[in-house]
Each structure stands twice: as C-alpha cells, then as structure tokens.
Amino acid sequence: MSRFLSSRYAGLTEYVPGEQPQDKQYIKLNTNESPYPPSPAVLNAINTAAVSQLNLYSDPDAKLLVNALAAQYGVGPENVFLSNGSDDILNFAFMAFCDGGVKFPEITYGFYTVYAALHGVAYETPALRPDFSIDPSDYYNAGCSVVLANPNAQTGVALPLTEIERIVRSNPDQVVVIDEAYVDFGGESAVPLTRQYDNLLVVQTFSKSRSMAGARLGFAIGPKGLIADLNKLKYSTNPYNLNRLTQLAGVAALSEQSYYDENCRRIMETRQYTRDALTALGFTCTNSQANFLLARTDAMDGETLYRKLKDRGILVRHFSDPLITDWVRITIGSQEQMETLVGVVEELVR
Ligand code: PMP
C-alpha cells in the first residue's frame, strides 16, 4: 500500500478470485465456468468485421442486447440493466440500496462482505441451518436490505420461489436483491415477481449457463425505478461498461437459447452422476441446484483433498472460512472430466 491511498480504503480486505493458472492445463473445476464453448452464433459474431470496428466506442445503452433480453424475459427495456459481469451490478446494488445496512447468509458469495466494507455498509449474517439451507424467516421484516444468492453460493442449496416472495413481501420498504448466477441449473427464477414488487432486483450472468465468463456480461431485471437508479450510477462511473464484442456475443447467445438449455440439462445430469459417485465413496454432498457440488469426506480435510487433486492436475476450490474448511467446491464439468475426477478421488480415499 502506498502512503497515498485514501484512508477510506486502507482497511479493505480484497476479494480473492479463484485461481486462473496460466502455466499448465488443469481439469478446471474451481470457478464454476461452463465446460462447453459458446454457441456457434457467438463464435460467428466475433469476426474480423466486428473486431475492425473496435476503433469506435460501444453503444452505452447497449440497445440491441437490452431489447433481446427484455424479449426473452418478457419485460420492457426499461426493466433491464447490463454491466461488466454481475459482480459489477452487485457492487452498484450495495452502493445504491444499502444505506440502512444489509443482511445476507453467513455462508454465501464472498464478495458480499467486500462490497459492504467498500461502501461502508453495516451487515448481519444469519447462520445457515445444519443442512446448509437458508432459514427464510431470518429475512422476514429484515429492517435493512437483503441480498440472497439463490441457489446459494458455495452450497448450491436453493430456496423455493414462494419463500423468496414472502421475503420480498415482508420487506416492502427495503430492496431485496436475488443473485441468480446459478438459477439455470435447477433453481426457480424470481424474474416474474419483478413485475409485481417495486423492491425486488434480480441479478443474473452470462458467465455460467451461457458459457461466457470471459466476456464479462451480467444483467439485472427489476422495476423501472431500481433500473434507473443503477443507470444513474453507471453513467456516473463508466457509461461504456460493455465493450462492442461482448454486446454482439450477448445478442448472438440469446438467439440460440436451446443450445444453452441443452448444456444445462447435460450439466444437471452430470451433477447427479457426480453426486452419486462421490456419495458411494463415502462423501457428503450438499443438495446443490447449481453447477457445482460442495463435498466433504472423513478421509481427509478439505485443504488436503484440494492439494492432492491439484497435484494430479484437477483444480477444485477450497475456502479457508472455518465454517466450510472441511469441504471442497467442485464445479460440474463435462461427463468425461467428472469421470476422471471420480477415478482420482477413488484412488485418494482408498
Ligand atoms: N454471484 C455469484 C453467487 C457468483 O458465484 C458469481 C461468480 N463468482 C458472481 C455473482 C459473479 O459472476 P460474474 O461477475 O462473472 O457475472
């Protein structure tokens, strides 16, 4: 740290992203990316003609992409906000809507505490139940904003839509943010509720189910007022927050939704295979509706398992948080990758 850094930020503990090793090829099951490439239309959209226009700024309103998302989700363009990954949108949401504090679960996406600290937002973190499910009553009449990942991060456990609606309804004067990064792998989306409730913001991403983590494209769907607030912040920081290529890729991806639906179906099938195989090897796995499993074994602690897998060319995620330090988070890759993982795990625990 230099002596010039604002004292506001001197005490910040930054978010630590999952490893992105550049040195060797791993079976990469550590950052919940899709094992499948973007659809053919996306590959075609990023062509020489598109690249040759990079001398021109992108459309700050990203109209084509906003309209395509609005059509796909049955909302108006005034209900859609786009940014450079859903992390960027969550950052804006903590900046915009959390003056009175925020509640999120004790085990969830690690970035929430970082955004809270960055924006000086007080936060409370109710514990999960022993099966790692969220107790929805912890969020009724919260008295502050609520941010819930559904399915939840790190555990993959989902709340039913009826419970999300109860939380939204019981907090009419607070914003409830539902982070649906993993919703396409078996969760129930709260997007339809955004037509009825002026305090509900749903955040999604192209990084997981739409195979575009490297393009950095996140979107939020919500009532007009909340979307206008997010745009106010965007136009006060970086109006060109989405580059030209990402906008083209996003529109192309939406034109081939069935390709992505089929990939999600395959990932859910492979998730079931992996859960069954690990359970047969004595593991405990959470009831994940996401593209990952949180898994533990009595044979060794989470960090040892992570290291032994890494030594054998398989990268999974281990968290130092004492609440889940016995566990590893394993992204669901292709069927072939997961069969390799299961084979290696079998050798390690035998
Ligand atoms: N929310 C959750 C729960 C996540 O796990 C992630 C991915 N790390 C994100 C949001 C951010 O995803 P992105 O910025 O790639 O859209």
Side-chain angles (χ1 to χ4, degrees):
M1 186 178 12
S2 83
R3 63 202 159 94
F4 303 108
L5 180 66
S6 160
S7 57
R8 261 180 300 167
Y9 304 122
L12 260 189
T13 306
E14 312 94 291
Y15 177 73
V16 182
E19 295 163 88
Q20 304 296 350
Q22 309 294 325
D23 55 334
K24 82 176 220 200
Q25 275 304 102
Y26 286 94
I27 293 185
K28 197 169 173 304
L29 308 176
N30 69 328
T31 47
N32 299 340
E33 291 136 327
S34 174
Y36 303 115
S39 67
V42 174
L43 303 183
N44 288 331
I46 311 301
N47 54 26
T48 309
V51 174
S52 68
Q53 290 195 307
L54 284 179
N55 56 317
L56 303 175
Y57 279 108
S58 55
D59 173 8
D61 295 329
K63 282 184 222 62
L64 291 178
L65 185 49
V66 164
N67 289 339
L69 274 167
Q72 175 140 348
Y73 287 89
V75 296
E78 69 283 7
N79 303 116
V80 179
F81 177 76
L82 298 173
S83 207
N84 185 250
S86 58
D87 279 340
D88 216 28
I89 302 180
L90 294 164
N91 179 41
F92 282 144
F94 274 81
M95 199 191 289
F97 305 128
C98 297
D99 281 356
V102 62
K103 259 191 191 186
F104 49 80
E106 187 176 34
I107 301 172
T108 190
Y109 187 28
F111 229 138
Y112 300 161
T113 49
V114 179
Y115 291 134
L118 178 63
H119 301 299
V121 167
Y123 60 93
E124 262 183 78
T125 57
L128 297 183
R129 293 170 172 144
D131 66 355
F132 282 160
S133 61
I134 289 171
D135 182 345
S137 68
D138 288 336
Y139 302 88
Y140 299 157
N141 309 304
C144 61
S145 304
V146 172
V147 177
L148 292 175
N150 194 39
N152 196 13
Q154 318 329 350
T155 68
V157 179
L159 274 177
L161 192 56
T162 46
E163 283 303 345
I164 297 289
E165 183 164 13
R166 272 180 88 171
I167 293 168
V168 174
R169 212 181 318 123
S170 77
N171 289 290
D173 298 321
Q174 305 291 344
V175 172
V176 176
V177 177
I178 306 297
D179 175 354
E180 295 188 347
Y182 302 106
V183 76
D184 295 331
F185 304 101
E188 285 180 283
S189 178
V191 163
L193 298 180
T194 60
R195 296 194 203 99
Q196 291 167 57
Y197 296 98
D198 71 353
N199 61 326
L200 171 62
L201 186 75
V202 176
V203 180
Q204 292 198 14
T205 179
F206 279 60
S207 295
K208 316 293 176 184
S209 59
R210 290 197 180 97
S211 300
M212 272 174 48
R216 313 305 303 125
L217 178 54
F219 62 100
I221 296 189
K224 202 171 149 184
L226 297 184
I227 299 300
D229 296 340
L230 293 173
N231 272 313
K232 193 182 191 66
L233 295 183
K234 163 187 151 163
Y235 279 92
S236 305
T237 46
N238 180 8
Y240 302 108
N241 62 345
L242 282 188
N243 70 73
R244 298 181 74 94
L245 301 181
T246 293
Q247 293 190 26
L248 288 172
V251 172
L254 293 173
S255 74
E256 288 183 329
Q257 187 55 41
S258 57
Y259 169 87
Y260 297 100
D261 292 343
E262 171 57 14
N263 286 348
C264 289
R265 192 197 60 71
R266 285 201 279 176
I267 287 169
M268 288 188 274
E269 206 172 271
T270 304
R271 179 178 68 203
Q272 188 61 47
Y273 156 79
T274 311
R275 182 186 288 133
D276 291 347
L278 291 178
T279 306
L281 292 171
F283 276 72
T284 305
C285 299
T286 54
N287 179 26
S288 172
Q289 303 297 311
N291 67 337
F292 57 83
L293 290 174
L294 193 67
R296 69 177 301 281
T297 168
D298 288 334
M300 66 192 84
D301 64 63
E303 187 166 5
T304 307
L305 180 57
Y306 155 79
R307 290 204 182 287
K308 285 180 184 278
L309 286 171
K310 189 171 179 186
D311 288 345
R312 287 160 180 77
I314 301 178
L315 210 48
V316 299
R317 187 88 184 257
H318 175 255
F319 297 94
S320 55
D321 179 342
L323 292 167
I324 48 172
T325 194
D326 288 343
W327 301 71
V328 293
R329 193 193 67 191
I330 306 171
T331 302
I332 304 301
S334 65
Q335 181 65 25
E336 193 189 353
Q337 288 177 318
M338 301 322 274
E339 284 171 14
T340 305
L341 168 92
V342 168
V344 171
V345 166
E346 190 169 6
E347 276 171 36
L348 293 177
V349 300
R350 207 187 278 142

